[in-house]
Amino acid sequence: MHDYNLIIVNTVIPNKFADYCQKNNLPHIWLIREATNIPEFYGKTMNLATTIKENKNIYVTSEYAKEYIDKEFLTNVGVLHNFIPDIKQEIGKQLKKTESKKLQFSLVGYFTPRKGLHLCIEAIEALSADLKNEITFN
């Protein structure tokens, strides 16, 4: 996993993996989508509160979540809003500059409709043929 440029750990559930990334200096961000409902997960995930306090790469999707987590866990998290602007043309330019490697997309987790796997597939299908040849989707 040290070969990855960035690992995105999604939600509080894989907190053991976020802890592993932190302790092994793996390039990661932990994207926590929960806020005041985090205590509901304490029984389902071991040492969740401690892991949140110790991880230095946490991002949340709203100012509301940031305020709660900063106060509750005495930590400082960043905000990464839950949308990505349309940057297809810029990505195309970047891909053409890096001909030696394909851009890798990997998803790990539950593939339920609310998790958006279908949106990832639709986005990749919408790419032009030359861009599709520049990526690998795992």
Side-chain angles (χ1 to χ4, degrees):
M1 291 200 299
H2 287 280
D3 291 337
Y4 285 95
N5 293 328
L6 179 65
I7 299 166
I8 301 173
V9 183
N10 191 29
T11 79
V12 295
I13 296 296
N15 72 300
K16 289 181 189 178
F17 185 64
D19 187 47
Y20 176 84
C21 290
Q22 181 71 29
K23 289 180 177 172
N24 289 282
N25 295 316
L26 293 171
H28 75 286
I29 63 169
W30 188 8
L31 185 58
I32 295 180
R33 298 175 179 279
E34 298 81 6
T36 56
N37 63 334
I38 288 174
E40 296 174 22
F41 294 94
Y42 285 166
K44 301 174 187 172
T45 59
M46 295 184 62
N47 303 320
L48 177 58
T50 302
T51 304
I52 291 173
K53 288 178 184 178
E54 293 176 354
N55 196 293
K56 304 299 181 214
N57 300 306
I58 296 176
Y59 287 83
V60 294
T61 57
S62 69
E63 296 297 329
Y64 166 78
K66 176 181 175 42
E67 288 176 23
Y68 173 77
I69 291 174
D70 285 348
K71 181 180 176 189
E72 185 70 20
F73 299 100
L74 304 174
T75 187
N76 186 24
V77 301
V79 177
L80 182 64
H81 293 283
N82 204 15
F83 70 91
I84 300 172
D86 185 3
I87 56 171
K88 182 172 63 172
Q89 290 179 346
E90 186 60 34
I91 289 174
K93 292 176 191 173
Q94 292 173 4
L95 287 175
K96 289 176 183 171
K97 291 178 187 175
T98 59
E99 295 177 19
S100 61
K101 290 186 177 181
K102 286 188 172 189
L103 185 59
Q104 297 279 326
F105 291 93
S106 299
L107 291 175
V108 178
Y110 294 104
F111 299 131
T112 61
R114 74 178 192 88
K115 294 294 183 179
L117 174 62
H118 64 291
L119 297 175
C120 293
I121 293 170
E122 287 174 19
I124 290 171
E125 288 175 348
L127 294 173
S128 64
D130 60 323
L131 288 179
K132 283 182 190 176
N133 289 330
E134 298 292 333
I135 65 168
T136 300
F137 182 63
N138 302 304

